[in-house]
Amino acid sequence: MHELAPELGSLALSALMAVAAGLMGSFAVMRRMVLAADPMSHIALPGIGIALVLRVNPLWGALALLLLGAVLIWAVERRTRIATEAVIGVTFAVALAVGSVITSGEQLIDALLGARGTLTLHEALFGIIGALIVIVFVLRQRNALVVRLVSPEIAMTSAVNVARLDLYFLLAFALTIGLGLRFLGVLLMGSLIIIPAAIARRFARSLGRMLTVSVVVAVAATAVGTYVASVAGRPSGPFIVMVAGGLFFLSLLRRRET
Amino acid sequence: MNVLEVQDLGIRLGGTEVIRGVTFNLPRASCLAVIGPNGAGKTVMLRALIGALPHTGKIAWAADTVLGYVPQRLDIERDLPLNGRDFLRAKAALAGSSSAMQAAALRSVGLAEEVLATPIGNMSGGQFQRLLIAFALLGNPNVLLLDEPAAGVDAPGQAHLNEVIHGLQDTHAMTVLLVSHDLSVVYRYADHVLCLGRHGACFGPPRSALTPETLQEVYGQPLGFHVHTHA
């Protein structure tokens, strides 16, 4: 029983993280941010390096830089007319280069692919609170996000503060990536945000179905991937993404409804 | 009494002056048509009027103004998993509108309830434009801004949309600001016309503001448009 409790806690936490990823991914996919999730997660890397140098928990360094990166994208996107993906791509390719210089060896592998081991109390609390923030944000703001998605101008005349909503969305997106760092690592968290939503988009014809399918796939991939990884005695991140990717390829076998 | 007063409006986009020195007033419950060739800045001006673009000069809306905005034809991805109901419900939630108000908005634009189950990317041009107008009507606006609402819609659909918009103005005493390329619509429905041309702007009632000379100046070429006058 003593052995089982931390495992169950960890599983519940990763399920919560998967719900957040499924919800956030739905809007990221609909906003054509599919390719942005991956490079955006790279900015966590120099944060991890700096945190290790300063001898603080790498998670906090990663989180700080992810949130800073979100504000940076928001500010650059407002000033220029360059598409978000170009800004994200360039900024975070540089971040990855810097990160790989100041992080090295095993730390780098852990940061990229996720580390095994028990979570500290602070990490667990961050996981719970962070996931709840993302879940509540998406569910509460879904109407504003839907209108913003169709037309920013319509949103403006519907009493939506579009600039603020965009900032909160990017911060929530960065937070979602931060949630997965400990489990999946920098490289793989973007995939858990995008793949379930990409599967959902193939079949959903309404927002409710999109959100539901995306969350169910994210949770299922996380649960199955974590179980297989524990049996194999390996880090869970790659297995979670392999299961999600497998489901995506399976989904290609079914024709899309028109 | 004016619902909108615009003085010496200037808008620059990427270092290029798109609008310069535009001045006009919009009386309450009137219909203003904005005309001009492509690239004259009609959509840009509308975006500035709703606060989406920075500008110089004065844009003053009456304090009680509630805007409804129908943008130029939107390119929606066909596989976007949002149906008409999702879209309308989102606005209803933001505007605090009841389901009865949603049904009333749909009736106003002549859109069947069943169409709401269709993903917005799969709707026909006419269906989607009507949905956008129904969407704009939620929240009880007293000013409707429409940017070429009939663009991309077939001829019968255009005629119906024009009737819908005119009907709304009559039944709801709504102020309408409409960008249109169709001069027959302008003559038929507008109380005032604002023409944005290559060499400045003109403003006034259609029959006095839109002389053949003005039209030639605005569009840069003579327009063979004949206005029927009935004694």
Side-chain angles (χ1 to χ4, degrees):
Chain A
M1 185 68 195
H2 287 289
E3 287 288 310
L4 199 60
E7 283 291 316
L8 275 179
S10 179
L11 198 61
L13 191 58
S14 52
L16 207 56
M17 172 200 73
V19 173
L23 289 174
M24 181 49 67
S26 295
F27 280 98
V29 162
M30 287 193 284
R31 286 178 72 156
R32 301 185 214 182
M33 285 177 68
V34 175
L35 297 176
D38 205 35
M40 187 163 171
S41 59
H42 297 170
I43 201 173
L45 207 54
I48 291 167
I50 294 166
L52 289 170
V53 170
L54 296 175
R55 293 176 187 281
V56 288
N57 188 328
L59 181 64
W60 307 133
L63 187 65
L65 274 228
L66 277 168
L67 296 177
L68 188 71
V71 175
L72 189 73
I73 297 170
W74 178 75
V76 172
E77 205 185 19
R78 276 170 65 80
R79 283 181 173 274
T80 68
R81 294 278 156 210
I82 309 170
T84 314
E85 289 190 0
V87 177
I88 292 174
V90 173
T91 311
F92 301 139
V94 174
L96 184 61
V98 173
S100 65
V101 171
I102 57 178
T103 321
S104 62
E106 198 177 320
Q107 293 162 347
L108 187 64
I109 297 294
D110 283 353
L112 289 173
L113 302 175
R116 293 190 71 205
T118 331
L119 293 178
T120 66
L121 181 64
H122 285 143
E123 286 170 341
L125 276 176
F126 162 70
I128 293 167
I129 294 168
L132 288 176
I133 289 173
V134 172
I135 292 166
V136 169
F137 168 77
V138 174
L139 293 181
R140 279 183 67 98
Q141 295 296 323
R142 70 183 187 283
N143 293 313
L145 289 168
V146 162
V147 179
R148 158 69 181 86
L149 180 75
V150 174
S151 159
E153 282 84 15
I154 292 183
M156 288 181 80
T157 53
S158 306
V160 174
N161 184 332
V162 173
R164 195 170 61 192
L165 182 69
D166 283 351
L167 176 63
Y168 289 170
F169 181 81
L170 284 166
L171 287 172
F173 190 75
L175 182 58
T176 312
I177 293 172
L179 288 175
L181 287 181
R182 192 65 176 73
F183 287 100
L184 279 86
V186 171
L187 283 183
L188 299 177
M189 186 53 190
S191 315
L192 188 64
I193 296 175
I194 295 306
I195 296 173
I199 295 171
R201 184 169 179 158
R202 284 188 45 76
F203 303 116
R205 285 164 60 87
S206 69
L207 180 67
R209 195 162 172 198
M210 171 85 185
L211 297 176
T212 307
V213 173
S214 181
V215 164
V216 167
V217 171
V219 172
T222 303
V224 175
T226 306
Y227 174 74
V228 174
S230 73
V231 171
R234 307 285 298 252
S236 56
F239 287 92
I240 292 172
V241 174
M242 279 192 280
V243 173
L247 290 172
F248 177 77
F249 288 114
L250 275 178
S251 80
L252 294 179
L253 297 176
R254 197 182 141 182
R255 277 169 67 94
R256 193 179 185 279
E257 291 171 37
T258 52
Chain B
M1 197 174 153
N2 292 325
V3 71
L4 169 67
E5 291 179 3
V6 175
Q7 269 177 15
D8 201 22
L9 179 67
I11 305 165
R12 297 184 74 88
L13 275 185
T16 308
E17 191 172 55
V18 182
I19 297 277
R20 184 179 60 173
V22 171
T23 296
F24 66 93
N25 294 328
L26 186 55
R28 231 171 247 278
S30 65
C31 176
L32 169 70
V34 183
I35 65 163
N38 292 331
K42 304 181 294 295
T43 297
V44 167
M45 189 188 77
L46 236 61
R47 293 184 66 211
L49 292 180
I50 63 168
L53 285 178
H55 61 86
T56 57
K58 184 180 117 180
I59 294 175
W61 290 101
D64 65 341
T65 302
V66 179
L67 293 178
Y69 176 64
V70 178
Q72 209 171 34
R73 196 171 156 73
L74 294 169
D75 282 325
I76 304 288
E77 293 170 66
R78 290 193 71 80
D79 65 341
L80 193 68
L82 292 177
N83 60 28
R85 190 166 284 110
D86 291 326
F87 189 52
L88 219 51
R89 267 189 194 157
K91 172 68 181 277
L94 291 172
S97 305
S98 63
S99 50
M101 288 170 178
Q102 289 180 58
L106 284 177
R107 267 198 310 276
S108 298
V109 299
L111 200 61
E113 185 96 24
E114 300 79 64
V115 177
L116 293 185
T118 310
I120 55 176
N122 286 351
M123 287 184 178
S124 72
Q127 285 174 334
F128 187 55
Q129 288 305 104
R130 275 188 259 180
L131 178 70
L132 285 178
I133 297 173
F135 181 95
L137 290 176
L138 293 174
N140 290 327
N142 50 17
V143 179
L144 211 51
L145 294 105
L146 304 115
D147 193 350
E148 295 187 41
V153 180
D154 58 21
Q158 284 189 13
H160 185 257
L161 270 180
N162 290 328
E163 287 302 323
V164 164
I165 293 162
H166 191 59
L168 287 170
Q169 198 192 353
D170 280 350
T171 53
H172 295 70
M174 211 174 268
T175 310
V176 172
L177 197 157
L178 171 83
V179 171
S180 180
H181 277 298
D182 188 344
L183 290 180
S184 60
V185 170
V186 175
Y187 279 110
R188 191 163 173 198
Y189 298 119
D191 305 302
H192 298 85
V193 62
L194 172 72
C195 30
L196 299 175
R198 303 182 195 285
H199 309 288
C202 70
F203 177 68
R207 281 172 202 282
S208 58
L210 293 184
T211 61
E213 295 75 31
T214 320
L215 287 172
Q216 178 162 359
E217 201 179 307
V218 168
Y219 286 94
Q221 58 185 356
L223 283 190
F225 191 80
H226 179 68
V227 182
H228 294 281
T229 50
H230 302 283

